[in-house]
Amino acid sequence: MPRIGIIGAGVAGLHLGLLLRQHDVPVTLYTDRSPHDLATSRLQATVAHHAPTLQREKDLGVHFWPDAEYGYTCHHHYVGGEQPLRFRGDFTRPSSAVDQRLYLPALAEAYENQGGDLRVGRVEAGDLTTLADRHELLVVAAGRSAFSPLFASRDAYSPFREPQRRLCAGLYHGIRPADPKGVTLSIAPGHGELIEIPLFSRDGHVSALLFESVPGSGQDVLNDLSYEEDPALFLRAVRDQLAARHPDVFERIVPGEFDLTGPLDLVQGALTPTVREDFARLPNGRYALAVGDAHTVVDPIVGQGANAASHSAWVTGEEIGADLALDELFCRRVAQRRADVVLGAAQWSNFMVQPPAAHLLELLVAMSGCQSAADAFTDNFGHPDRQWRIVATAERTHAFLERHGAALPPAAP
Amino acid sequence: MPRIGIIGAGVAGLHLGLLLRQHDVPVTLYTDRSPHDLATSRLQATVAHHAPTLQREKDLGVHFWPDAEYGYTCHHHYVGGEQPLRFRGDFTRPSSAVDQRLYLPALAEAYENQGGDLRVGRVEAGDLTTLADRHELLVVAAGRSAFSPLFASRDAYSPFREPQRRLCAGLYHGIRPADPKGVTLSIAPGHGELIEIPLFSRDGHVSALLFESVPGSGQDVLNDLSYEEDPALFLRAVRDQLAARHPDVFERIVPGEFDLTGPLDLVQGALTPTVREDFARLPNGRYALAVGDAHTVVDPIVGQGANAASHSAWVTGEEIGADLALDELFCRRVAQRRADVVLGAAQWSNFMVQPPAAHLLELLVAMSGCQSAADAFTDNFGHPDRQWRIVATAERTHAFLERHGAALPPAAP
């Protein structure tokens, strides 16, 4: 039975670890932070899980947050401009968002209960030889591990040299939920986006606000303020940005209750989207496979990171169970099977952080008048491969709208 | 609705044409030979269709040769040497072999009955611009068409510069069927192979003998004789080769009845296995996609050509129906979806025409003592991707045998 080593205990590492334990495969998970430390740490991300990911959680026996209470069913869209657009898209099956500081420790406990070995401690570059000899396959599932340099960046899928958005993500009290309960995707042309997510944290049902700000834009002011230095000033700035650019969220603020849920419930930063090689041959002839952030880092603008990571972990686990060896052919097979979803997520996310293509604007306008197109677009947050096939070119977007009977934009002369 | 042009009316072209007509897609099939001319032409190949291909024929409504009468259920193996090996592998579902000169005209008729446009005439290189403008996608499904040069050979999958076997395939009376009815795969080390197939032709149930001869070997003498010049000499040579190297077929010869079924029922030749690029961009910005022999030419040693062609056609047809455009992204998607089966077929076939690897011999020995391994190997003639994953390396072969509880060869020192 192969002994699998996994570096990183995020969504990818834990989903893979749990799947392997279901098949009685011996597995060791290396993480630099204990579940307890993670539970009490600063917010790292605001993550929604879509239906395919929730299905995997059900299959793994770790769907601890029933959809009826924790799920949501739609996306509310707002696109600012002279004539603002508003429309809603419904999911076929619910999505949900749970604070990773609750989610990951609960999954780590389930993993250990199922016989998984969890080792807490920093993995250094110098440990590679030891770990490569100890395991028949190393799965690198952490974006910032000492082993990340094993996987070279792939230029064809990594068009940016620097972040395209600056991020300010926090958990807030005092925002009434949207009705029906759902995520609000609010676009402020020239400034960026706001993604408001109904999220469950240790404070209960709260609102996550993820500001995706174009560097140097008015909205980007949020990244130059420190909540800890001056909470009132920071909160006023958030309110001001909501009032100026995201009215559909602003109007749900409850006066006197609006506040961050805690000083650790805020993260400000930025990342450069990058797709890396799928695998690397180790000095001893064995292989290391990249999954999750070690393989693709996407801007969170359309919430694809965790879902793609879970998909990638699932494919990896299925192939470990099915294949006869953990060699280059195995790695190529995993790469081939996950490519559509994982690269689709990366390409769609990259498309969304670029200056908006004319056909993206056409799509938004058309969806505001065509419910079935809006629903399909929304459901595709769980199917980034399908979404990318819709937005990749103007011709594809037009064909998609035509299939849904949506009003097409006037043809170019 | 996209207008598809298909060059070539072999298995790939017809399966694709029929699938597209099922979805009411307008399609034009170009062939240089009318179905009537094909029906009365020289034998081109001796082709078995395995269960996945037969299933596609059922789905297309063109399964005109019911398994109960035309099918067979097993492979009989003979491996010559000091201690000859004999073993049988059973299929999960039957395979069958029908003379393409019956099969293809019947499918062409069904295609036309379902509204498909069939145009008979030679397509020349100079027709490319016209055809590219007439169709939204060109599917090149003929190995020797004027458009073949559009698709460059891929070195990574094309290890040979010349044929590895010389082929002598004919249809014969006077060989009693094997019991149970099945194909006999007979290996004569140093000389090549004989594949005997129970095949249905216009003469009824006959035996196809496909000699796969190592160039310059004793068995290769068959390729230097002409049946038409001296039928008796040719037949005596065939008998002599069977007697000397393929006793399990020789013993079933019925004295006085053994003969070719007709002077056109023999083909002698050779081919160089080649894998070509999946698609090409045409001068007008549209795309040409290679399927079947235009994409991969495999030695028929394990009978994979027609089955891979049918699979490739099926994936192409499904994607034409599902996708939003017939652009590069579409072509890449087809390439990705068919890669495991089509490249698996090519790699496994290439492996089999090379000097036998030690682990292939180990596999044959082990299967002769392990029915479940022999059955799995046999069933994988319909799943070349799985077969390649078994034979690609010694480690994989050993893991396969271990899973089947087969006696493993002694470990290397």
Side-chain angles (χ1 to χ4, degrees):
Chain A
M1 195 55 90
R3 296 155 300 156
I4 311 297
I6 304 173
I7 320 295
V11 171
L14 282 167
H15 282 195
L16 175 57
L18 285 159
L19 182 57
L20 293 175
R21 288 311 306 146
Q22 267 193 350
H23 293 95
D24 274 333
V25 177
V27 52
T28 305
L29 225 167
Y30 301 89
T31 176
D32 56 4
R33 226 167 10 175
S34 75
H36 175 267
D37 286 352
L38 177 62
T40 55
S41 68
R42 178 173 289 280
L43 179 73
Q44 291 264 313
T46 52
V47 171
H49 288 193
H50 300 298
T53 301
L54 297 178
Q55 185 59 51
R56 289 187 284 269
E57 293 167 5
K58 288 167 190 166
D59 293 345
L60 292 171
V62 295
H63 184 64
F64 302 129
W65 298 273
D67 297 341
E69 178 173 355
Y70 301 91
Y72 62 87
T73 59
C74 66
H75 282 173
H76 302 275
H77 289 266
Y78 173 84
V79 184
E82 285 186 24
Q83 294 182 300
L85 294 176
R86 287 186 168 86
F87 63 96
R88 191 179 100 201
D90 290 336
F91 285 103
T92 306
R93 292 180 292 161
S95 297
S96 81
V98 174
D99 191 328
Q100 288 198 322
R101 296 168 297 177
L102 297 178
Y103 179 91
L104 296 175
L107 266 65
E109 186 183 339
Y111 165 78
E112 289 197 281
N113 287 343
Q114 288 166 32
D117 186 3
L118 185 73
R119 304 217 183 158
V120 179
R122 183 165 289 283
V123 168
E124 310 285 357
D127 299 328
L128 185 61
T129 305
T130 309
L131 291 186
D133 287 343
R134 188 182 296 163
H135 299 289
E136 290 173 40
L137 176 74
L138 284 185
V139 179
V140 184
R144 278 161 298 210
S145 92
F147 294 170
S148 307
L150 287 171
F151 312 103
S153 170
R154 293 173 67 183
D155 288 347
Y157 296 99
S158 308
F160 309 121
R161 297 280 79 79
E162 55 199 17
Q164 302 300 297
R165 292 288 186 276
R166 290 176 76 199
L167 311 174
C168 175
L171 307 184
Y172 294 83
H173 290 302
I175 302 177
R176 281 185 291 107
D179 181 29
K181 187 179 174 187
V183 159
T184 295
L185 302 170
S186 183
I187 299 179
H191 293 270
E193 300 78 19
L194 167 69
I195 298 100
E196 182 223 3
I197 308 169
L199 184 143
F200 185 75
S201 78
R202 80 175 78 83
D203 293 290
H205 292 285
V206 301
S207 299
L209 296 183
L210 166 59
F211 288 94
E212 292 255 342
S213 302
V214 174
S217 68
Q219 182 173 297
D220 192 24
V221 66
L222 296 177
N223 293 297
D224 300 323
L225 298 173
S226 162
Y227 178 82
E228 290 183 24
E229 280 180 18
D230 191 338
L233 179 67
F234 178 84
L235 284 172
R236 198 160 55 236
V238 171
R239 273 183 88 119
D240 288 349
Q241 290 302 320
L242 295 178
R245 317 192 199 288
H246 305 291
D248 286 15
V249 176
F250 179 73
E251 70 181 15
R252 287 188 274 110
I253 288 185
V254 182
E257 294 183 15
F258 182 67
D259 197 355
L260 211 62
T261 55
L264 286 177
D265 297 339
L266 180 73
V267 58
Q268 292 159 305
L271 52 81
T272 303
T274 308
V275 174
R276 298 183 170 279
E277 293 291 349
D278 289 279
F279 61 89
R281 186 179 162 92
L282 299 172
N284 67 353
R286 292 178 174 173
Y287 282 83
L289 185 75
V291 305
D293 284 353
H295 180 229
T296 50
V297 172
V298 300
D299 189 286
I301 188 163
V302 281
Q304 293 300 307
N307 293 283
S310 168
H311 176 83
S312 187
W314 199 262
V315 168
T316 302
E318 285 185 337
E319 288 298 323
I320 289 172
D323 209 350
L324 294 165
L326 300 170
D327 54 8
E328 182 176 337
L329 193 54
F330 159 82
C331 292
R332 289 196 186 282
R333 168 88 171 162
V334 170
Q336 188 206 348
R337 274 195 56 196
R338 73 186 179 185
D340 54 352
V341 166
V342 174
L343 298 180
Q347 290 174 295
W348 173 33
S349 300
N350 288 344
F351 173 76
M352 297 300 285
V353 296
Q354 287 175 318
H359 67 274
L360 176 59
L361 301 176
E362 291 169 352
L363 176 62
L364 292 167
V365 170
M367 287 195 295
S368 73
C370 177
Q371 193 59 48
S372 79
D375 290 348
F377 183 82
T378 300
D379 226 39
N380 280 349
F381 275 67
H383 304 283
D385 50 329
R386 301 180 197 163
Q387 197 81 306
W388 174 239
R389 304 183 81 72
I390 291 170
V391 299
T393 67
E395 182 194 6
R396 288 178 165 272
T397 295
H398 297 165
F400 166 75
L401 292 173
E402 198 163 13
R403 286 200 190 179
H404 284 277
L408 282 175
Chain B
M1 196 55 91
R3 295 156 300 158
I4 311 296
I6 304 173
I7 320 295
V11 171
L14 282 167
H15 282 197
L16 175 58
L18 285 160
L19 182 56
L20 292 175
R21 288 310 306 144
Q22 267 195 347
H23 293 94
D24 273 333
V25 177
V27 52
T28 306
L29 225 167
Y30 301 88
T31 176
D32 56 4
R33 223 166 12 174
S34 74
H36 176 267
D37 286 351
L38 177 62
T40 56
S41 68
R42 177 174 289 278
L43 179 73
Q44 290 267 311
T46 52
V47 171
H49 289 193
H50 301 298
T53 301
L54 297 178
Q55 184 59 53
R56 288 187 284 269
E57 292 167 5
K58 288 167 191 168
D59 292 345
L60 292 171
V62 294
H63 184 63
F64 302 128
W65 299 272
D67 299 340
E69 179 172 355
Y70 302 91
Y72 61 88
T73 59
C74 65
H75 282 173
H76 302 274
H77 289 267
Y78 174 85
V79 184
E82 284 187 23
Q83 295 184 299
L85 293 177
R86 287 186 169 88
F87 62 97
R88 191 179 101 200
D90 288 338
F91 285 102
T92 307
R93 293 181 290 164
S95 298
S96 82
V98 174
D99 191 327
Q100 287 199 324
R101 296 168 297 178
L102 297 179
Y103 179 91
L104 296 174
L107 266 64
E109 185 182 341
Y111 165 79
E112 289 197 283
N113 287 343
Q114 289 165 33
D117 186 4
L118 185 74
R119 304 218 184 156
V120 178
R122 183 166 291 281
V123 168
E124 308 285 356
D127 298 328
L128 184 62
T129 305
T130 309
L131 291 186
D133 288 341
R134 187 182 297 163
H135 299 289
E136 291 172 40
L137 176 74
L138 285 185
V139 178
V140 184
R144 279 160 297 213
S145 93
F147 295 170
S148 308
L150 287 171
F151 312 102
S153 170
R154 294 173 68 185
D155 288 347
Y157 296 97
S158 307
F160 308 121
R161 297 280 77 82
E162 57 198 16
Q164 303 300 299
R165 292 288 186 275
R166 291 177 76 199
L167 311 174
C168 175
L171 306 185
Y172 294 84
H173 290 301
I175 304 178
R176 280 184 293 105
D179 182 27
K181 187 179 174 186
V183 160
T184 296
L185 301 171
S186 182
I187 299 178
H191 293 269
E193 300 78 18
L194 167 68
I195 298 101
E196 181 223 2
I197 307 169
L199 184 143
F200 185 74
S201 78
R202 82 175 76 83
D203 292 290
H205 293 284
V206 301
S207 298
L209 296 183
L210 167 59
F211 288 93
E212 292 256 342
S213 302
V214 173
S217 69
Q219 182 172 295
D220 192 25
V221 67
L222 296 178
N223 292 297
D224 300 323
L225 297 173
S226 162
Y227 178 84
E228 290 183 25
E229 281 179 18
D230 191 338
L233 179 66
F234 178 85
L235 285 171
R236 198 160 55 238
V238 170
R239 273 183 89 118
D240 288 348
Q241 291 302 321
L242 294 178
R245 318 193 196 286
H246 305 291
D248 285 16
V249 176
F250 179 73
E251 70 180 15
R252 288 188 275 109
I253 287 184
V254 182
E257 295 184 16
F258 182 67
D259 197 354
L260 211 59
T261 55
L264 286 177
D265 297 338
L266 180 73
V267 58
Q268 291 160 304
L271 52 82
T272 303
T274 308
V275 174
R276 297 184 171 278
E277 293 291 348
D278 290 279
F279 61 90
R281 186 180 163 92
L282 298 171
N284 66 353
R286 292 177 174 173
Y287 283 82
L289 184 75
V291 305
D293 283 353
H295 180 229
T296 51
V297 172
V298 300
D299 189 286
I301 187 164
V302 280
Q304 293 301 306
N307 292 282
S310 169
H311 176 83
S312 188
W314 199 262
V315 168
T316 302
E318 284 185 337
E319 288 298 323
I320 289 172
D323 208 349
L324 294 166
L326 300 170
D327 54 7
E328 181 176 336
L329 193 54
F330 159 82
C331 292
R332 288 195 186 282
R333 168 89 170 161
V334 170
Q336 188 206 349
R337 275 194 57 195
R338 73 186 179 184
D340 54 352
V341 167
V342 175
L343 298 180
Q347 290 174 297
W348 172 33
S349 299
N350 288 344
F351 173 76
M352 297 300 284
V353 295
Q354 287 175 316
H359 67 274
L360 176 61
L361 301 176
E362 290 169 353
L363 176 63
L364 292 167
V365 171
M367 287 194 296
S368 72
C370 176
Q371 193 59 49
S372 79
D375 291 347
F377 183 83
T378 301
D379 226 38
N380 281 348
F381 276 67
H383 304 282
D385 49 330
R386 301 180 196 162
Q387 198 82 306
W388 173 238
R389 304 183 80 71
I390 291 170
V391 299
T393 67
E395 181 194 7
R396 287 178 166 273
T397 295
H398 296 163
F400 166 76
L401 292 173
E402 198 164 14
R403 286 201 189 178
H404 284 276
L408 283 176

